[in-house]
Amino acid sequence: MSQNLLQLHPLLSEEEMLREIERLRVERKAVILAHNYQRPEVQRIADFVGDSLGLARKAAETDAEVIVFAGVHFMAETAAVLNPSKTVLLPNLEAGCSLADTLTAADVRAWKAQNPDGLVVVYVNTTADVKAEADYCVTSGNAVQVVASLPEDRKIFFAPDMFLAAHVERQTGRKLDVWLGECHVHAGIRPEHIDAQRAEHPEAEFLIHPECGCASHAIYNFPDTPLLSTEGMIHHARRSEASAFIVVTETDMVHRLEQEVPGKTFIPVHRSARCEYMKMITLENVYETLRDLSNRVSVAPELAERALKPIERMIAIG
């Protein structure tokens, strides 16, 4: 279908749009990366679906000329830092992150000014300018390992997720200076949601993300339940003898689990656990972004150079 024909007939059927996305992917020498929390139809068109760490690794490895990042803004920024010579596109520039928005570079600098010998560990869910102030960048999958490896005589600022920080403190025995930020999706998962699903599905195992505000409730009431990154959920579900799992994170993680671990049942903890920002990415804006090479995300070279070191440490660990 020619560009002129597309302009004359902008309203494509889903089938036509999928064909155009495939054609443009080849024509643009593009790769499509999608986060676990994306809509199922967006996950299905991606070359790779994963968590923040997996997507960062794929962004670092790709030889594609164009990276279409079906995720949120800080993820596209990370890809841009890792690929300064490539075109990184975010299908909807409004796709932000409530957790990343809680912390600024000025907040980190203020802590560093008061703790000149301290170390700054930031979650990947942060902006590039925050990462540029950090010593280490982590994901939920390697945060415990990173903090456990740091010198015990150094003060540690851990930001911005307070629930992940609490998990790291429990696992490492380290006392951290914690920024009191939270993800609106995970904070909204309540103890009563967990209790209701356990009552309805007593045979099911829990898959609980450490960002959840209900994590302490789960640990106290179900002490054998591990807290797992999204990749950890997949590995655990594969190994487990259980046939049913209650998924305590964003609802569309269920789709990826169903694809990766067929034959088992995955139950979302609550239908309200939806990231409004992730859902801003649609097939339509993936198609339009590929068609027009629009919505480019870039990071200033000086800032990217400073942010690169903690990002590379994140990719290398865990």
Side-chain angles (χ1 to χ4, degrees), residues 162-201:
M162 61 182 176
F163 298 119
L164 179 59
H167 171 63
V168 172
E169 287 184 324
R170 284 191 295 266
Q171 294 295 307
T172 64
R174 300 286 298 269
K175 178 61 180 172
L176 308 174
D177 275 8
V178 177
W179 185 259
L180 300 181
E182 62 182 23
C183 161
H184 78 283
V185 176
H186 288 109
I189 299 173
R190 311 302 305 159
E192 54 266 30
H193 298 155
I194 286 182
D195 294 342
Q197 291 292 2
R198 171 47 64 91
E200 189 172 346
H201 307 280

Side-chain angles (χ1 to χ4, degrees), residues 15 35 41 62 68 76 81 86 97 107 114 118-119 127 139 148 179 209 237 247 251 256 278 282 291 299:
E15 184 179 347
H35 192 270
E41 62 269 26
T62 186
V68 178
V81 169
K86 295 179 180 177
C97 173
D107 297 322
Q114 294 180 3
L119 295 172
T127 59
T139 69
W179 185 259
H209 197 282
V247 182
T251 54
R256 184 170 177 221
M278 288 285 184
T282 65
R291 182 191 67 193
V299 178

Side-chain angles (χ1 to χ4, degrees), residues 253-314:
M253 183 62 197
V254 168
H255 176 76
R256 184 170 177 221
L257 283 160
E258 289 172 342
Q259 305 309 302
E260 298 275 352
V261 194
K264 296 191 176 185
T265 300
F266 298 96
I267 304 149
V269 67
H270 200 267
R271 290 293 178 184
S272 65
R274 288 174 57 83
C275 176
E276 61 190 87
Y277 301 104
M278 288 285 184
K279 301 310 181 265
M280 289 180 176
I281 308 298
T282 65
L283 281 180
E284 288 83 359
N285 55 37
V286 170
Y287 156 65
E288 290 165 358
T289 295
L290 266 173
R291 182 191 67 193
D292 303 333
L293 293 180
S294 56
N295 296 339
R296 182 165 185 169
V297 173
S298 59
V299 178
E302 185 273 335
L303 186 65
E305 183 178 356
R306 293 170 55 218
L308 182 60
K309 187 173 182 179
I311 291 171
E312 288 183 329
R313 285 175 169 170
M314 174 188 73

